[in-house]
C-alpha cells in the first residue's frame, strides 16, 4: 500500500479586543480596518487537526469535522489548499527527491474540544489548524506570518490564531492582500496573567451571518466609515501600548469601547443587526458594577457577533471578577475543572453588586447557559497525536 | 379682590423622525444637529395648561402639574418666565394703559391626558403649553417661531410642539441661540393620513436621563461627530422632501435609519447607554415582517430615549399595520375608543407574520403593557376651559 503522510497540530481560538468588521475585498477577506485579539489557551478551547495525503486516497480532498463530512469545494477552503500546494510544489520543483505531496489528495480530520453549539467563533481555530497542519504535512518553511496570509483567505480572523499571546492583524494596502497579515504584539509570556471568562448565552442561533452582516454594514451604515478610518487606527495604537505596558485599565477601556463601537455600527446597519440581547446588556451592567466597586477598571467585556460575553481580567483580580460570577452563576456548567475549582465564590461581592445590578444579575441567571473559564495562551502546537491512523482511517482524539 | 388674569391652551406631544441628541450649549439647549418631528393629535396626547397672574397671588411663581406642586426655580423654567416677562414688559413700557402683568406672580396649572408612567416624553408638550399659555396671558404678539425659541430653553424638543403637522428644528449657528428655532415643514392638512401606534413597554424607568445621556455621548462617542456633521444634515433634506412629496417609503426608511443611528451613538457612548431592550427589538422585527409582507415600506419604527416603539404608517395601511398589532396585542389597554375600535384585527396577517417573527410576537405580548393609537395633529390650541377658577384656585379639567 502507498505511504500515508500525516501531520497534526492544535490551534487556538482568539477573541478580538479591536474588532474586525467589514471587508474591502470579500474574495480575499481583506478587511476595512486592522484588528487585535487575545489568543486563548488551548487547554480550554482548541481545534485539533490532522492533515494527511496519499496517492492511495480517493481523488478528491476531504475534511471531517467532529465526525461530520464538510464541504471543501467552497472558494475559501480551496484558496487555502491552492496556496499551500503551490508552496509545496516549489519545494518539489527545487528538489526532485522530495515526494510529490502536492499532487496527492488531502484527507483532513478535525475535532474541537468545545461544544459547537456554544456559538463560539470556531472558524478561526479551524482554519488556523487546517493551514498549520497542511504546512506541517508539506514541511513548508513558511513563517506564521506567511501562513496567516493564507489562513486569512479561509476565515479573516483565523489569521490571528497563527500566533499566541496578543496578536494584531494589519489591514494592509496591497490589492493582492500580500501585506494583510497577522503579527505578534507580545507573546503570552509577556502578560501571562490575562484571564477570560466567557458567559455563553442560551440564545437562539444568530440571525445574520458575520459575512453577510459585515458587508451590509459597509454598504448601509453612515457611521461605519468613521469607525474604520479614524476610531480603529487610533485604538490600535492605544491597545498595542496597553499590552506593551501591561496597563489593564487602558486595555479594558479600549476593549469595552471598541466592542460597543462595533455593535453600534451593527445597529446603524439597515436593516439593523442586533447581536446583543438583554442577557448581554446584563453582563455589561454587572461588569460596570464590578469596576465601580473596585474604583477602577479590573474587568472588561467584549462581544463578537453574538450575545456571549467574554470578560477579560487579570489573575490578581480573580476573586473580585470570576468570584462574583461564580457566586451568581455557580450552578451553571463549566466551573468544574482545575481553573474553575480554583475560583472562590465571592458572596460578599455579589451581595454588594445586587444594589447596583440586582435586576441584571437575575437576567444573567436566566440567560446564561454555561461558562468557560480560560486565559491567554500559545499559538498552534505541533502534536504527535494523530486523528488519522497509519492506514488513513480517522480515529477519535482523546 | 384684585383681578385674576387667566389664559389657557393645550399643546401636543411630538415624536421625532430625525432625532435631537447632543447639545452644543447645554445652558441654552442649543443642539448639535437639526431635527424633525411629527406633531401628534391632542385628542390622544396633550398637556392642558392655564397660566394666570394676579397682584393678589403670593409672591412666588407656582406650577401645579397633575395636582402636584413642581419646582419652578430651575434654570430652564426660569429662562422661560424671564423671556416671556421681558416681552410683556416691552408692551407695558410702550403702552402705559397696559396692566403690569409682568410684575405679578404667576400661577400655572397643567394636566396631561396621558399616564405619566407611560414613559412618553411629556416635557415637550409641557413646556410648549407653558410658554403658549403665558404668551396668551400676556397677549404677546409673538409668533410660534419666536415662542419656539423660548420653549427650547425649557426643553429642547418642546420648541417643535409649538407647531402642528411636520416640524423641523433648525440647529442654528448664533451663539445666543436666536436662530435655533422650530419651523413648520408642512401642516397636518398637507399629509393628514399619517398614523402613529405607540407600543408602551412595561419597562423599568430609564437608567439615564436624556440630558446627562446626550452630553456623555457628545463627550465619549467616536461615531457621534459624523452623525451630527454628515448623517443628519443629509437626512434633514431627505425627510423634508419625503414630507413635501408625501413619499411614505422615503419617510419610513429615513425614520428607521435615523432612530437606529441615534441608538447606535448611545451604544457607542462610554459607558454605553441602552434604551432599546428585547421588547424594542421584537417591535423592529415585527415591523420588518410587515414591510416584507407588503413588499415595500408601509410601517416605520422609531424609538426615543426609552424602549417604547412608535410606529408610523398611513391610514390606507391601517389593516396591514395596526390590524396586525391588534390581532397580536388586542387584550392590551388602549384599543378602546374611536380610533382603536375602527381598527380591524387582522388575524390572517398575524398568522403569516408568525413564520418570520413568531418569537418576536411572543416577546411583544410579554413586554408591551399598553398601546396608544394616534396620528398627526395640530399645534397648540387656545381653550376657554380654565384649570384655574376666577378666584385663582385650581380646578380639575374635564
Amino acid at each position: 500500500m502507498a505511504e500515508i503522510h500525516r501531520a497534526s497540530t492544535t490551534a487556538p481560538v482568539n477573541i478580538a479586543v479591536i474588532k474586525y468588521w467589514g471587508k474591502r475585498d470579500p474574495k480575499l477577506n481583506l478587511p476595512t480596518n486592522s484588528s487585535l485579539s487575545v489568543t486563548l489557551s488551548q487547554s480550554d478551547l482548541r481545534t485539533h487537526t490532522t492533515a494527511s495525503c496519499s496517492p492511495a486516497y480517493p481523488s478528491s480532498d476531504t475534511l471531517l469535522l467532529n465526525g461530520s463530512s464538510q464541504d471543501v469545494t467552497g472558494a475559501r477552503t480551496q484558496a487555502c489548499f491552492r496556496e499551500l500546494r503551490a508552496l509545496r510544489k516549489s519545494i518539489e520543483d527545487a528538489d526532485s527527491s522530495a515526494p510529490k505531496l502536492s499532487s496527492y489528495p488531502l484527507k483532513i480530520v478535525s475535532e474541537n474540544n468545545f461544544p459547537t453549539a456554544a456559538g463560539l467563533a470556531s472558524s478561526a481555530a479551524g482554519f488556523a489548524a487546517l493551514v498549520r497542519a497542511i504546512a506541517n504535512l508539506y514541511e513548508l518553511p513558511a513563517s506564521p506570518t506567511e501562513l496567516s496570509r493564507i489562513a486569512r483567505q479561509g476565515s479573516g480572523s483565523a489569521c490571528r490564531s497563527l500566533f499566541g499571546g496578543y496578536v494584531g492583524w494589519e489591514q494592509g494596502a496591497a490589492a493582492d492582500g500580500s501585506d494583510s497579515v497577522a503579527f505578534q504584539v507580545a507573546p503570552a509570556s509577556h502578560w501571562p496573567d490575562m484571564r477570560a471568562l466567557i458567559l455563553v448565552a442560551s440564545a437562539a442561533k444568530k440571525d445574520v451571518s458575520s459575512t453577510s452582516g459585515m458587508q451590509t454594514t459597509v454598504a448601509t451604515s453612515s457611521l461605519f466609515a468613521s469607525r474604520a478610518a479614524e476610531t480603529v487606527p487610533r485604538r490600535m495604537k492605544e491597545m498595542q501600548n496597553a499590552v506593551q505596558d501591561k496597563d489593564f485599565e487602558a486595555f479594558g477601556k479600549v476593549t469595552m469601547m471598541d466592542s460597543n463601537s462595533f455593535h453600534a455600527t451593527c445597529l446603524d446597519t439597515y436593516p439593523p443587526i442586533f447581536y446583543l440581547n438583554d442577557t448581554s446588556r446584563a453582563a455589561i451592567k454587572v461588569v460596570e458594577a464590578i469596576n465601580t466597586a473596585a474604583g477602577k477598571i479590573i474587568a472588561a467585556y467584549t462581544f463578537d457577533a453574538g450575545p456571549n460575553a467574554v470578560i477579560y481580567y487579570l489573575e490578581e483580580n480573580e476573586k473580585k471578577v470570576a468570584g462574583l460570577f461564580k457566586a451568581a452563576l455557580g450552578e451553571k456548567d463549566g466551573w468544574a475543572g482545575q481553573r474553575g475549582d480554583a475560583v472562590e465564590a465571592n458572596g460578599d461581592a455579589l451581595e454588594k453588586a445586587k444594589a447596583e445590578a440586582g435586576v441584571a444579575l437575575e437576567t444573567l441567571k436566566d440567560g446564561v447557559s454555561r461558562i468557560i473559564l480560560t486565559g491567554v495562551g500559545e499559538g498552534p502546537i505541533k502534536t504527535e497525536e494523530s486523528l488519522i491512523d497509519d492506514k488513513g482511517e480517522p480515529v477519535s482524539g482523546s
Side-chain angles (χ1 to χ4, degrees), chain A:
Chain A
M1 184 181 172
E3 196 181 354
I4 307 281
H5 300 268
R6 297 177 295 168
S8 298
T9 192
T10 60
V13 165
N14 71 75
I15 298 287
V17 291
I18 305 276
K19 300 296 188 189
Y20 158 48
W21 195 252
K23 302 175 201 276
R24 68 176 197 275
D25 181 327
K27 188 161 167 287
L28 291 170
N29 275 347
L30 300 180
T32 49
N33 58 256
S34 297
S35 55
L36 201 151
S37 57
V38 179
T39 293
L40 299 183
S41 171
Q42 295 175 62
S43 323
D44 307 297
L45 299 167
R46 57 132 184 81
T47 298
H48 178 183
T49 295
T50 298
S52 77
C53 62
S54 169
Y57 283 164
S59 64
S60 53
D61 302 326
T62 60
L63 169 58
L64 200 69
L65 171 62
N66 292 339
S68 298
S69 183
Q70 306 291 307
D71 178 16
V72 295
T73 63
R76 294 168 167 216
T77 308
Q78 286 296 313
C80 293
F81 288 175
R82 186 174 59 244
E83 294 256 11
L84 291 159
R85 281 194 164 110
L87 291 175
R88 173 65 193 179
K89 184 70 163 44
S90 65
I91 293 175
E92 296 164 6
D93 289 349
D95 175 3
S96 61
S97 73
K100 300 288 182 286
L101 303 186
S102 68
S103 65
Y104 302 163
L106 284 162
K107 182 182 288 189
I108 299 161
V109 177
S110 271
E111 289 186 356
N112 295 330
N113 70 342
F114 51 91
T116 308
L120 292 162
S122 51
S123 63
F127 273 102
L130 177 117
V131 169
R132 184 73 260 184
I134 297 174
N136 293 350
L137 174 72
Y138 287 169
E139 296 181 337
L140 302 181
S143 67
T145 303
E146 174 67 5
L147 295 182
S148 79
R149 190 186 60 75
I150 298 173
R152 185 204 74 226
Q153 296 172 64
S155 171
S157 57
C159 74
R160 296 186 310 244
S161 278
L162 267 303
F163 290 93
Y166 303 84
V167 185
W169 171 12
E170 172 56 44
Q171 64 183 91
D176 67 355
S178 54
D179 57 353
S180 187
V181 295
F183 62 97
Q184 189 173 59
V185 176
S189 60
H190 168 73
W191 203 8
D193 43 350
M194 183 68 72
R195 297 288 175 270
L197 173 65
I198 306 176
L199 307 181
V200 180
S202 43
K205 72 177 183 54
K206 62 185 172 189
D207 285 343
V208 178
S209 79
S210 303
T211 295
S212 75
M214 64 174 74
Q215 291 317 91
T216 312
T217 301
V218 173
T220 65
S221 168
S222 73
L223 304 177
F224 178 75
S226 82
R227 165 173 166 77
E230 292 158 35
T231 307
V232 170
R234 184 180 71 244
R235 287 186 182 152
M236 280 296 289
K237 286 181 197 143
E238 291 168 355
M239 187 59 88
Q240 288 175 75
N241 290 339
V243 170
Q244 293 301 348
D245 300 345
K246 297 184 262 191
D247 176 352
F248 189 86
E249 286 216 73
F251 172 92
K253 186 168 183 185
V254 175
T255 294
M256 293 187 280
M257 292 184 86
D258 198 74
S259 176
N260 294 334
S261 165
F262 152 50
H263 290 282
T265 65
C266 290
L267 174 49
D268 190 48
T269 300
Y270 184 82
I273 301 169
F274 293 97
Y275 292 121
L276 306 182
N277 62 17
D278 283 357
T279 303
S280 316
R281 292 173 53 181
I284 290 174
K285 286 282 168 214
V286 173
V287 168
E288 287 174 348
I290 288 170
N291 290 333
T292 299
K296 61 180 181 175
I297 294 170
I298 63 168
Y301 55 78
T302 187
F303 299 84
D304 277 354
N308 297 344
V310 177
I311 300 166
Y312 286 114
Y313 63 94
L314 295 179
E315 201 277 338
E316 68 195 54
N317 293 313
E318 185 147 84
K319 188 173 175 187
K320 290 179 183 167
V321 184
L324 185 148
F325 284 102
K326 192 172 185 182
L329 304 170
E331 81 283 7
K332 304 290 180 186
D333 281 348
W335 291 105
Q338 198 179 336
R339 283 192 200 268
D341 289 342
V343 176
E344 190 182 338
N346 189 339
D348 287 350
L350 176 61
E351 286 310 309
K352 282 174 195 152
K354 281 181 182 168
E356 191 177 337
V359 174
L361 284 160
E362 288 304 310
T363 303
L364 273 192
K365 273 188 197 171
D366 288 344
V368 170
S369 64
R370 58 173 290 130
I371 69 99
I372 297 169
L373 189 58
T374 183
V376 65
E378 305 300 327
I381 300 168
K382 197 168 183 171
T383 173
E384 294 307 312
E385 191 182 348
S386 181
L387 298 174
I388 296 176
D389 68 17
D390 56 12
K391 296 185 179 60
E393 294 302 315
V395 293
S396 192
S398 57

